[in-house]
Amino acid sequence: MVAGAKLRLDKWLWHARFFKTRSLAAAQVAGGAVRINGTPTQKRASNVGPGDVLTFSQGDHVRVIRIEAIGQRRGPAPEAQALYTDLSPPQPKPKDRQPENPGFEGKGRPTKRDRRQLDLSKARHLE
């Protein structure tokens, strides 16, 4: 695109593949969860361009992104990753997180007795 060009915020977030649909990106912006250069915005049509810094939450961590280019389309992932530089620090893996299946350590198929104990532990955990 032309140097100094601008694009709608929701459209850029969608082009850069931070959100699966443009309406999800627009809802995130309208909810006030996106900051442009440190200023909160609720306008989906806010114009952003190269050099702007976006701050928003995605999943369980906060993303800090500097826009490097404006895309013309929502292309493949390598093309989308060329549109920005990720300034957010890497998220450490939580060490206190339990494994997906705590009663079953990958030793083959659980026995009927193991399965009953696993179901009971899940039921107690939900209470």
Side-chain angles (χ1 to χ4, degrees):
M1 280 193 123
V2 182
K6 300 277 186 173
L7 188 67
R8 285 176 59 114
L9 176 58
D10 62 339
K11 197 169 186 178
W12 189 87
L13 287 169
W14 176 65
H15 278 195
R17 295 187 164 266
F18 287 109
F19 297 98
K20 194 170 187 175
T21 64
R22 187 169 166 191
S23 61
L24 285 175
Q28 187 81 358
V29 174
V34 179
R35 293 175 178 252
I36 302 173
N37 297 325
T39 306
T41 184
Q42 292 184 340
K43 289 185 169 184
R44 300 172 186 122
S46 298
N47 288 325
V48 294
D52 288 337
V53 176
L54 304 179
T55 307
F56 58 94
S57 63
Q58 188 176 35
D60 58 349
H61 65 281
V62 175
R63 303 290 302 259
V64 181
I65 304 297
R66 183 177 56 230
I67 299 175
E68 299 297 335
I70 300 296
Q72 294 183 357
R73 66 184 182 117
R74 179 181 165 92
E79 185 178 313
Q81 290 169 350
L83 298 178
Y84 63 90
T85 302
D86 194 354
L87 303 175
S88 54
Q91 296 292 324
K93 297 288 182 184
K95 294 182 181 181
D96 59 346
R97 186 174 179 192
Q98 292 182 345
E100 292 293 323
N101 196 352
F104 179 61
E105 298 294 326
K107 300 173 189 164
R109 187 172 174 167
T111 63
K112 189 172 187 177
R113 179 175 180 243
D114 293 338
R115 182 68 186 171
R116 285 183 187 146
Q117 289 176 345
L118 183 64
D119 288 343
L120 283 175
S121 68
K122 284 182 182 178
R124 287 187 196 127
H125 180 69
L126 293 175
E127 291 176 350

